[in-house]
Amino acid sequence: MVRFVWSEDCLRHEPESEVWVGVRTPATELPARALAIREALLTAGAEEVTAVAHDDSALLAVHEPALVEFLRTAWDEWSAASLPSDQVVPYVFARPELTSGRPPVTPTAVWARPGLFAYDTMTLIGPGTWEAARAAVDVALTAADLVAEGAPLAYACTRPPGHHVTRSLYGGSCYLNNTAIAAAALLDRTGGPVAVVDIDAHHGNGTQELFLGRTDVLTASVHVDPGAGWFPHFLGFQTENDTANLNLPLAPGTGDAEWLAAVRRAADFAAPARALIVALGVDAAAGDPESPLEITADGYREAGRILGGARLPTVVVQEGGYDLETIGELVVESLRGLSAA
Ligand code: SP5
Ligand code: ZN
């Protein structure tokens, strides 16, 4: 059916919980997600490719070196400080207005440092988080290599996800923006322009902000309306649209017909590009615990067909999707649609 890229190291991030409105709630971004997807892909006859290690150049083309260095060392520093939390979690945030826009100092206290880079309390760092996030970058870059070398389609089984991460801030269960890194790599390899179509249930705010004002990377996102009370709350509105960015927010409860019409608009927007990155979140599915959209497996297959209809070399990067019972099938159906187009 399709080649998919896999790294065992993506399983090493095991957050178990997240801090939401001040309480620890069970994490939904679990290693079992990746295992469920892999099993469904193998059952469907997809061919597994092991991720190849890449150096940091593509990563540093997208992210601030200070963010990368923080993520690389955060757990070791935290665990050496004998703090009462077994995960790195921010408690004070370096908002730019706090220092009237002056760059914040790097705090002496290890427990204050996450506030330089984290924008929420849900995205915890423990042993293995860096290794998994960095492995996900290799997975995305290996899939980009396959497509740059002529494959029409490759799927990157990335975990943890990435589309909420900006140049220097992490959040939304994401640490490194795999989708944006794949886009930068494909831009480099194809000469561009490239397009990112994000169909995760949540707005791809990190990817949008990373490529803001650039015309060589078109970004489109179909997601639940943040104005109806959904993450990322501060972004994802149509007021952010311009010639290179298209947000298509949808009301909670939206089903296949209206969602697919938005996917069609996003695909049309992407059509002038030379290569396509699909940020595939399957959390828009009915029954997903993290979103109120009501998309079916048939809907995801049709979305694949629509995006495949653009006939662009395509890298699919996994983002969200939290219903362990259906996540594998939803990914397989999306890829079936993409392959059949
Ligand atoms: C990649 C991705 O899909 N990230 C989504 C992050 C959105 N998380 C918002 C969570 C809001 C609070 N959820 C409460 C559930 C309690 N565990
Ligand atoms: Zn999502």
Side-chain angles (χ1 to χ4, degrees):
M1 182 182 78
V2 64
R3 275 187 284 179
F4 76 97
V5 184
W6 173 262
S7 168
E8 211 69 21
D9 283 341
C10 286
L11 305 174
R12 291 174 66 178
H13 169 58
E14 300 180 83
E16 286 170 13
S17 62
E18 55 192 38
V19 177
W20 182 64
V21 297
V23 294
R24 278 214 184 214
T25 60
T28 49
E29 203 292 279
L30 301 167
R33 298 176 56 247
L35 291 169
I37 294 169
R38 182 198 204 189
E39 190 179 309
L41 286 168
L42 290 172
T43 303
E47 182 195 338
E48 181 174 314
V49 175
T50 301
V52 174
H54 286 67
D55 67 28
D56 281 349
S57 55
L59 172 60
L60 293 171
V62 166
H63 292 303
E64 196 66 46
L67 170 65
V68 175
E69 216 34 49
F70 170 76
L71 293 172
R72 199 194 302 277
T73 56
W75 169 248
D76 288 343
E77 290 195 355
W78 190 269
S79 55
S82 304
L83 291 157
S85 169
D86 64 352
Q87 303 262 301
V88 178
V89 57
Y91 93 102
V92 59
F93 295 90
R95 299 288 311 276
E97 296 87 346
L98 196 64
T99 50
S100 308
R102 296 187 302 278
V105 300
T106 297
T108 308
V110 166
W111 50 96
R113 277 182 214 154
L116 287 172
F117 303 103
Y119 68 81
D120 67 38
T121 60
M122 305 182 302
T123 311
L124 307 186
I125 298 172
T129 298
W130 164 255
E131 288 76 8
R134 187 59 183 81
V137 169
D138 284 332
V139 169
L141 288 172
T142 303
D145 288 343
L146 291 174
V147 168
E149 286 154 16
L153 177 67
Y155 169 75
C157 192
T158 42
R159 177 195 174 266
H163 72 151
H164 294 308
V165 184
T166 70
R167 184 160 181 84
S168 56
L169 298 179
Y170 71 98
S173 310
C174 302
Y175 303 87
L176 297 169
N177 195 326
N178 310 309
T179 287
I181 292 164
L186 271 192
L187 178 63
D188 202 43
R189 301 283 292 266
T190 64
V194 301
V196 178
V197 173
D198 188 324
I199 60 169
D200 185 278
H202 306 97
H203 176 236
N205 62 297
T207 314
Q208 170 180 298
E209 295 304 302
L210 268 162
F211 297 118
L212 192 70
R214 283 175 55 168
T215 51
D216 53 355
V217 183
L218 307 171
T219 51
S221 182
V222 178
H223 50 266
V224 64
D225 184 1
W230 293 86
F231 190 90
H233 301 287
F234 301 100
L235 299 97
F237 300 96
Q238 283 179 303
T239 48
E240 295 146 32
N241 291 354
D242 61 29
T243 54
N245 185 58
L246 179 67
N247 285 331
L248 297 165
L250 298 169
T254 295
D256 284 355
E258 216 186 317
W259 184 75
L260 288 168
V263 173
R264 229 167 260 124
R265 283 183 63 192
D268 290 345
F269 189 77
R274 296 257 297 269
L276 175 65
I277 296 89
V278 177
L280 177 64
V282 293
D283 45 5
D288 190 283
E290 294 288 345
S291 113
L293 300 177
E294 300 284 346
I295 309 312
T296 66
D298 284 348
Y300 268 101
R301 187 174 54 237
E302 186 56 26
R305 213 175 276 134
I306 290 165
L307 294 166
R311 310 233 166 266
L312 296 170
T314 300
V315 177
V316 180
V317 179
Q318 186 63 41
E319 294 290 353
Y322 305 96
D323 177 18
L324 295 174
E325 296 301 311
T326 57
I327 180 175
E329 177 203 354
L330 291 162
V331 170
V332 166
E333 289 305 322
S334 306
L335 294 175
R336 281 211 175 103
L338 274 154
S339 319

